Amino acid sequence: MTQLEQLPTTDSGYVVKRHATEWLNGLDEATEQEIRESVVAKPNDFSGSKYATEISDIRVTGAPEFVETVGSLFKPLLQFEGEETRLEINLQRTEDRDTGELTDNYALYLSVAERG
């Protein structure tokens, strides 16, 4: 059982900020191997929302400096690009919802999928 699974949650599933920050502060930096071993790939025939599944999915949004800095932490995922799995990557400028204009911010989406 992970430390995360041991945290108390509210009835709606939220971890209160105090517990979440204590958990985050107590985490050891993962090795590249630990990152790769923790990934759950999206099955080849999967469709629909990944939100409530075990499928590993990453979304990082913000200023280009932030996205680039945090994105560097996920370089071990590049090793999933191979014959059995592939790295799904979507990197784009974000759009203002009200005006439809592109902003100076970016969104990075990463997940691993089984090859068909």
Side-chain angles (χ1 to χ4, degrees), residues 3-24:
Q3 294 174 24
L4 177 58
E5 293 169 300
Q6 296 175 36
L7 294 176
T9 61
T10 65
D11 290 341
S12 58
Y14 286 92
V15 176
V16 295
K17 183 176 180 178
R18 179 174 61 87
H19 295 296
T21 55
E22 288 172 357
W23 164 79
L24 188 60

Side-chain angles (χ1 to χ4, degrees), residues 9 30 32 41 51 61 66 94 115:
T9 61
E32 288 189 13
Y51 185 71
T61 60
F66 175 74
T94 59
R115 288 203 182 267

Side-chain angles (χ1 to χ4, degrees), residues 42-90:
K42 180 175 72 172
N44 183 41
D45 59 350
F46 184 85
S47 65
S49 173
K50 296 176 276 184
Y51 185 71
T53 70
E54 289 185 343
I55 295 171
S56 303
D57 197 30
I58 299 167
R59 179 177 81 171
V60 178
T61 60
E65 297 83 3
F66 175 74
V67 173
E68 191 168 280
T69 300
V70 172
S72 73
L73 301 173
F74 302 115
K75 286 171 39 176
L77 298 181
L78 292 168
Q79 294 181 17
F80 281 102
E81 193 64 36
E83 292 182 18
E84 295 181 15
T85 57
R86 60 190 165 84
L87 179 64
E88 292 182 334
I89 182 168
N90 180 348

